[in-house]
């Protein structure tokens, strides 16, 4: 795998930090061992080594949502918000696999 290739990338992600939405069209990127949550303009909301991130499926949310704890802050990530992408559920699963895979490699 090349260094420039991200391990995970999703755009059009709704990023919420309860009780408010931070962006409705953000980006989640895992690259070179780091997770970054970005606004639709590319500004970093939060960033941390992937090994330090906890992620899971919230029991109260739909299939396209995950919860990630980054630097002690909980974020709800809803994939495929823009255009209601049919692969949103798959993206959420791939995100969880990428985070858990990075933790297993540490």
């Amino acid at each position: 795998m090349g260094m420039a290739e991200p391990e995970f990338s999703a755009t059009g992600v709704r990023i919420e930090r309860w009780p408010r939405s931070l962006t409705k069209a953000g980006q989640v990127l895992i690259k070179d061992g780091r997770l970054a949550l970005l606004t639709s303009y590319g500004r970093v909301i939060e960033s941390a080594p992937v090994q330090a991130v906890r992620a899971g499926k919230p029991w109260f949310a739909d299939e396209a949502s995950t919860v990630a704890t980054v630097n002690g802050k909980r974020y709800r990530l809803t994939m495929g918000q823009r255009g209601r992408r049919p692969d949103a559920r798959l993206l959420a699963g791939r995100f969880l696999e990428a985070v858990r895979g990075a933790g297993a490699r540490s």
Side-chain angles (χ1 to χ4, degrees), residues 4-83:
E5 189 68 29
E7 290 119 69
F8 178 83
S9 179
T11 56
V13 180
R14 179 185 194 96
I15 301 173
E16 297 169 285
R17 183 153 178 249
W18 194 84
R20 64 191 188 106
S21 175
L22 301 175
T23 181
K24 291 185 174 128
Q27 182 178 8
V28 176
L29 185 64
I30 298 176
K31 186 174 176 180
D32 298 330
R34 287 192 72 80
L35 167 85
L37 304 179
L38 309 165
T39 67
S40 55
Y41 301 106
R43 187 178 59 80
V44 176
I45 296 169
E46 198 76 52
S47 174
V50 182
Q51 290 90 340
V53 174
R54 288 196 339 261
K57 293 286 294 170
W59 60 269
F60 54 83
D62 66 18
E63 297 268 309
S65 292
T66 61
V67 172
T69 303
V70 185
N71 297 324
K73 299 176 195 141
R74 277 175 61 108
Y75 294 91
R76 181 171 168 186
L77 311 174
T78 306
M79 307 290 168
Q81 281 294 116
R82 296 294 275 218

